[in-house]
Amino acid sequence: MALGADGLWKLTYDPDTDVIQTARLSREGDSVFRMGLGILSPESDYATDDKAIYCNGIVDGAYGFYRTLDGGKSYERLNTDRQMYGEINSIDGDCRVFGRFYLATGSNGLKYGEEVTA
């Protein structure tokens, strides 16, 4: 869950014990405004495996679009200071193509990005 100034959180429900657990996935002081999920690796199954988490917010003091492949232990910035795209209404990863993500902007339409391989 993207909770703004309270950061990024994971909520897990165990139906066997009827218990809900929460875990903070961002550092104290980071803000996360939007988040979405994508495939974790080219070999992953989106339906059954862990997911890549894409988010937009402020991580380590820098606003941008980020991805974590390790449940919030580390974040990779996906944009530069010249690639902000105005108001961001949504961010999501692709469930079929590793590294592809989508941005729904308020003024620049739908954008997508993906990793460039050398």
Side-chain angles (χ1 to χ4, degrees):
M1 297 184 303
L3 299 178
D6 291 324
L8 184 64
W9 289 77
K10 181 177 183 178
L11 189 112
T12 307
Y13 173 68
D14 184 344
D16 296 330
T17 60
D18 198 31
V19 172
I20 296 173
Q21 294 181 326
T22 59
R24 186 183 188 108
L25 301 182
S26 60
R27 292 183 214 63
E28 192 74 33
D30 288 348
S31 297
V32 177
F33 308 115
R34 308 279 187 267
M35 63 84 54
L37 303 173
I39 194 167
L40 186 60
S41 71
E43 300 82 27
S44 292
D45 181 347
Y46 185 81
T48 59
D49 293 338
D50 287 337
K51 314 288 187 283
I53 302 170
Y54 292 85
C55 61
N56 122 275
I58 302 168
V59 175
D60 291 331
Y63 175 83
F65 315 119
Y66 293 90
R67 176 178 71 185
T68 179
L69 301 175
D70 56 13
K73 293 179 185 77
S74 64
Y75 287 86
E76 172 186 13
R77 188 170 184 206
L78 302 172
N79 67 311
T80 68
D81 288 340
R82 294 184 59 176
Q83 301 166 314
M84 293 297 186
Y85 306 113
E87 176 188 356
I88 302 302
N89 293 319
S90 182
I91 185 170
D92 206 6
D94 196 298
C95 65
R96 295 168 298 196
V97 179
F98 173 69
R100 183 181 292 165
F101 70 101
Y102 303 91
L103 296 172
T105 71
S107 57
N108 288 302
L110 181 65
K111 306 288 185 190
Y112 82 94
E114 56 189 14
E115 289 188 38
V116 177
T117 56

